Amino acid sequence: MNELTMNLKSCSKIPLYEQIYGYIKTDIQQGRFAYGEKLPSTRALSKHLEVSRSTVELAYEQLLSEGYIESKPYKGFFVAQTEELYHLERENKQIPAVRKEEKKYRYDFSPNGVDLRSFPYNAWRKLSKDILIDDRIELFRSGDSKGEYGFRSAICSYLHQARGVNCIPEQIIVGAGSDYVLMLLSMVLGREHRIAFENPAYKQAYRMADVLSYETVPVSLDRNGMKVSELEESGADVAYVTPSHQYPTGIVMPINRRMELLRWAAKDERRYIVEDDYDSEYRYKGKPIPALKGYDVHEKVIYLGTFSRSIAPAIRLSYMVLPGPLLAEYERKADFVHSTVSKVDQMIEQRFIEEGYYERHLNKTRALYKSRHDVLIEGLKSMSDILTISGEHAGVHLLLTFHNGMTEEELIRRAGAKDIRVYGMSDYWIGKREEAEATILLGYANLTEEQIREAVEILNRCFR
């Protein structure tokens, strides 16, 4: 073969050598060139196509590297045996769209919102650059299944200072998000437990337990949190609680109720408390209360924490602190499971904590959220005759219970008609619950103060 004619497009965004490479590759895949057939020399093909010889050489080098042709010294280029090569072809199949498109609202009072505008881009960029500035091969090797020791040590220091939790790095297991941590915990605990959930509940954890085939039981709340007497009667041996800021009611569990829970757990060696320290970073009134884990002298509390809430959801850095007895179970049952968080991400977060960036970020966002919290409370005073506010002393959302006779569905519909999204309390109950008065949740983290003022003014009109 001395000539090979193809239609090259000099004005195309695809380089000429790629066009030559693609043409020859396609002909080989489709069997137009037989095994062992000789290709034109680079000199002959460049002359025939009126392109530079280096252009043809680049195309041939790519074909050689992928195994489509082979070079024989002093003889030229020949079509290689290609039966064992991967042939990836695009199929023109129409894939039905399954993603549910949600309406975008002008004002979204999401209780799970985070102010991404305050993300510490400069600090994160600097730390990422510092860590990756050198070619460090060890960063890309598989690491410790629990997470990198330095990162776990940084978490220990943070928990001791901020949450009153005393632990050692060996007790901490790092994972990519709370869902993964819960799945790993299920491997450690085993499936023979009955888990009690607060009702209303943090539904994501409840759904995870249900999917993992645990027997679950709802336990109602009073003004101090989960009722321990009802927990005792439920037959559960694991209690899942959010004592720092109960989700969704906003209850902060007082010390007396925490002691009751710990006494309940200490009565039976199979009993444990899972403490989800949700929104513990944000508190606006009263003295900070240490985590339940900080009072755990009998090794009964499994502590769950995350940086996804306080930094950004996409960070996907969560962790759990296992008590001694379960640490041994982890070593026996789940130590073989590799960490789901890259070393690079762990090192960035480690430095973020150790160099004081995390503390400064928390102080900044706490001030931002406190300001928005105050603006929302002030705006809602004009509706004090038709609603009661609760859960306002911590976290980034509060509850409005209405006394104007409207149903939850009607409140949501009226707000939606004005391009405002609010969230109903009914979504958080385990089982159907008929409320005498409608309650909605208003989150304020992802809205500016001006947006909050505008939205509350509109709600004041449409809820009357």
Side-chain angles (χ1 to χ4, degrees), residues 6 43 47 52 66 84 90 110 112 137 157 198 205-206 211 238 270 277 305 312 330 360 378-379 420 423 425 429 448:
M6 61 191 76
R43 185 187 301 276
K47 184 177 181 181
S52 70
E66 294 183 15
E84 295 181 0
R90 180 178 293 177
S110 171
N112 300 315
I137 297 173
S157 297
E198 300 162 321
Y206 173 76
V211 168
V238 175
R270 282 177 49 81
D277 209 19
Y330 169 83
R360 291 195 289 274
E378 182 64 28
I420 302 173
Y423 296 77
M425 185 69 155
W429 288 101
T448 66

Side-chain angles (χ1 to χ4, degrees), residues 41-57:
S41 68
T42 55
R43 185 187 301 276
L45 187 57
S46 64
K47 184 177 181 181
H48 177 67
L49 297 176
E50 296 184 350
V51 298
S52 70
R53 188 174 178 183
S54 61
T55 298
V56 178
E57 286 174 345

Side-chain angles (χ1 to χ4, degrees), residues 117-337:
R117 293 179 294 272
S118 65
F119 181 81
Y121 290 101
N122 290 334
W124 205 264
R125 190 181 297 114
K126 175 186 178 298
L127 294 174
S128 302
K129 183 179 178 181
D130 290 347
I131 288 167
L132 294 171
I133 198 166
D134 298 319
D135 296 336
R136 302 171 63 183
I137 297 173
E138 70 274 7
L139 285 179
F140 301 95
R141 291 197 173 102
S142 181
D144 194 312
S145 60
K146 289 181 178 178
E148 297 310 296
Y149 193 87
F151 180 39
R152 289 185 282 133
S153 295
I155 293 174
C156 282
S157 297
Y158 164 71
L159 290 178
H160 173 70
Q161 296 173 34
R163 303 299 301 130
V165 174
N166 296 311
C167 60
I168 57 176
E170 285 76 10
Q171 290 178 268
I172 295 178
I173 292 91
V174 174
S178 300
D179 293 346
Y180 169 79
V181 169
L182 288 173
M183 287 189 283
L184 195 61
L185 179 58
S186 72
M187 295 175 63
V188 177
L189 283 175
R191 306 296 171 86
E192 299 77 27
H193 293 273
R194 173 185 282 188
I195 304 179
F197 281 90
E198 300 162 321
N199 196 25
Y202 172 47
K203 273 296 189 68
Q204 184 67 3
Y206 173 76
R207 282 191 288 261
M208 288 297 299
D210 187 52
V211 168
L212 292 168
S213 302
Y214 280 103
E215 184 182 358
T216 60
V217 57
V219 174
S220 55
L221 309 174
D222 59 20
R223 61 187 180 87
N224 293 324
M226 180 180 277
K227 295 179 179 178
V228 178
S229 59
E230 190 174 320
L231 172 63
E232 190 76 62
E233 295 170 0
S234 71
D237 49 17
V238 175
Y240 192 104
V241 294
T242 51
S244 295
H245 182 237
Q246 201 279 329
Y247 192 87
T249 65
I251 295 169
V252 178
M253 186 180 288
I255 187 66
N256 290 343
R257 181 60 54 85
R258 295 177 185 227
M259 294 299 105
E260 285 183 61
L261 265 178
L262 290 170
R263 283 193 292 270
W264 167 84
K267 290 179 182 178
D268 190 319
E269 64 178 12
R270 282 177 49 81
R271 289 180 177 176
Y272 287 99
I273 299 167
V274 178
E275 178 184 14
D276 189 339
D277 209 19
Y278 181 84
D279 269 354
S280 61
E281 298 88 0
Y282 303 110
R283 184 177 177 84
Y284 312 121
K285 186 176 180 180
K287 294 181 180 179
I289 301 176
L292 184 63
K293 179 69 178 173
Y295 301 100
D296 180 27
V297 296
H298 297 292
E299 295 285 295
K300 287 294 184 178
V301 178
I302 303 158
Y303 181 92
L304 306 183
T306 183
F307 296 105
S308 300
R309 184 68 172 164
S310 55
I311 302 177
I315 295 298
R316 308 306 297 159
L317 280 173
S318 299
Y319 56 92
M320 63 178 167
V321 182
L322 292 177
L326 289 182
L327 185 59
E329 286 296 294
Y330 169 83
E331 302 287 354
R332 187 170 68 87
K333 295 179 179 179
D335 188 44
F336 69 93
V337 180

